[in-house]
Amino acid sequence: MKIDSLETWVKPVFVNEKRKPVVIAGPCSAETEEQLFNTCKEILEKNGNDIDIFRAGIWKPRTRPNTFEGVGEIGLKWFQNVRKELGIPIATEVATPQHVELALKYGVDVLWIGARSTVNPFTVQDIADVLKGIDIPVIIKNPINPDLALWMGAIERINNAGITKIAAMHRGFSTFEKTKYRNSPMWQLAIELRSKMPNLPIFFDPSHVGGTRELIEPLSQKALDLNYDGLMIETHINPKEAWSDAEQQVTPSRLDEILEAIKIRTASSDNEDFISHLDELRQKIDRIDKEIVESLASRMKLVEAIGDYKKANGVAVFQFERWIQVFQTRPEWAAKLGLDKDFIALLYKNIHDESIRVQTGRV
Ligand code: PEP
Ligand code: MN
């Protein structure tokens, strides 16, 4: 896959020799000409150099009908004016070939494909088809369901259309259970994407992951600690009155505080002391991991022996009471050692699934 480096479409800014993450900011939706203009103006006044791209949704994919679904084409005229007057690249979401054509007509600089479009290969292909031969950066949000292949498939479709200025945007995944996040981050999926497509820049959207203003700063820091290339933060001149996503948008001043507070860390360091100490710690981890794997192997041997013994005595493999006891005690032991109970519960669920497989065979 040919992917251009981020520097070809966003001017790199270095702070103490570290590249600052790309920052995309702006309201969830364009609502009125004044709201759009004043939001951008204040963002630039408060954050100056830190903002690379101004965003706003013109067409809004909403879960239920009869809510605000975006201002449509008129918003592109307002956007064009912001771009001209304030001199900042602009980005908007496109979900149909018509959206792409209109966005191009009004000079939108960067397009993004939303989570509800990424899930549908027909939609992504339709968008890819109108993008053929056009040189414009496209950001592809993750699909709403945690399906890495679907996310990669959308990236490949856009790339196959000849778009090489391309980035992924991690905006979290829908889950049936209620969590503290609006969309569960499932960081592992984005880390896996990085390992499968190492040249692909990956941005993070703390607004749609968090769903509340309070979570924006800690989530952004976490993303920087995981070496993300950029952040997209929904910012509104008057968040409480926003027509969409009012709980998660921040004011331009708050955005400035967040960007001041988060720390940029480098992906690696050449410092010799740092490298040798890190190496020492990693060797310790390697030794412990070896012990963990050896312990699991010994445990599995016992599980096999118990399985044979039960069978020889006409006893069923799965005993509910024993499972309940294992499932209760291990997280309790873990908590006493300062480990997270849920983490150990999940680990034991996996161990138990494997034990049953060892005792009953694969079906
Ligand atoms: C948005 O960025 O405003 C948006 C609608 O995002 P998503 O597609 O991630 O829900
Ligand atoms: Mn939004």
Side-chain angles (χ1 to χ4, degrees), residues 1 113 118-121 124-125 128 140 143 147-161 166 193 197:
M1 239 166 83
I113 296 179
T118 308
V119 282
N120 185 347
V124 177
Q125 192 56 52
I140 296 142
D147 184 335
L148 180 59
L150 204 50
W151 196 3
M152 289 175 63
I155 294 163
E156 284 159 353
R157 282 176 200 279
I158 298 299
N159 193 237
N160 287 347
I166 205 165
L193 178 67
M197 297 181 162

Side-chain angles (χ1 to χ4, degrees), residues 299 303 310 316-331 341-356 359:
R299 190 187 194 279
V303 164
K310 282 182 191 163
V317 160
F318 183 64
Q319 261 116 28
F320 189 64
E321 297 71 27
R322 168 68 182 160
W323 167 230
I324 293 291
Q325 188 213 357
V326 169
F327 208 62
Q328 255 167 15
T329 49
R330 276 57 172 171
K341 269 184 154 182
D342 293 342
F343 158 60
I344 295 298
L346 191 64
L347 184 67
Y348 268 88
K349 193 190 161 304
N350 279 327
I351 291 177
H352 191 251
D353 283 351
E354 179 61 7
S355 303
I356 290 186
Q359 291 182 339

Side-chain angles (χ1 to χ4, degrees), residues 28 55 60 182 208 234 244-245 248:
C28 179
R55 65 147 278 157
K60 297 306 296 178
R182 180 175 175 198
H208 290 90
E234 284 191 339
S244 59
D245 288 351
Q248 71 194 31

Side-chain angles (χ1 to χ4, degrees), residues 119-131:
V119 282
N120 185 347
F122 289 129
T123 298
V124 177
Q125 192 56 52
D126 283 347
I127 295 173
D129 289 343
V130 282
L131 284 170

Side-chain angles (χ1 to χ4, degrees), residues 282-294:
R282 283 183 172 158
Q283 280 178 25
K284 281 190 190 156
I285 290 213
D286 287 349
R287 281 199 293 276
I288 293 178
D289 279 348
K290 195 146 181 279
E291 282 167 26
I292 292 175
V293 174
E294 282 165 1

